[in-house]
Amino acid sequence: MRVPSTSANNYYRLGADMITRLFLAALFAGTAFPASAEVAKPPALTADGVPAMPDALAAATRPYMESRSAGFGGWNAADRSMLI
């Protein structure tokens, strides 16, 4: 029976494996979708030699592009919680 290690090296190696998988998925994503419907490029963007991005890929990645930041505001002394 193998006991899982809790070292930081395994954590970073797991992150590197995930990044590699995401990179390869993005690299080959263009071959997985037909080029029938394409996302329009903004007029301010000039892209030479970049393949068109299918609507299905844009819809699949949209949740990952919508994020917001949060900053530390302080501590709530009453219930010892963090304020954002």
Side-chain angles (χ1 to χ4, degrees):
M1 180 172 151
R2 183 174 176 215
V3 177
S5 175
T6 58
S7 69
N9 290 337
N10 285 341
Y11 176 77
Y12 291 117
R13 185 180 58 201
L14 189 96
D17 289 344
M18 182 63 73
I19 290 171
T20 303
R21 288 179 186 169
L22 288 174
F23 174 74
L24 290 174
L27 182 66
F28 295 114
T31 61
F33 297 104
S36 60
E38 300 172 353
V39 177
K41 293 182 181 97
L45 182 68
T46 303
D48 289 333
V50 177
M53 187 166 120
D55 283 336
L57 180 60
T61 58
R62 188 166 288 120
Y64 302 104
M65 300 299 173
E66 298 172 2
S67 64
R68 60 186 178 118
S69 63
F72 177 73
W75 293 104
N76 184 350
D79 62 355
R80 297 178 54 102
S81 61
M82 184 172 69
L83 302 175
I84 300 176

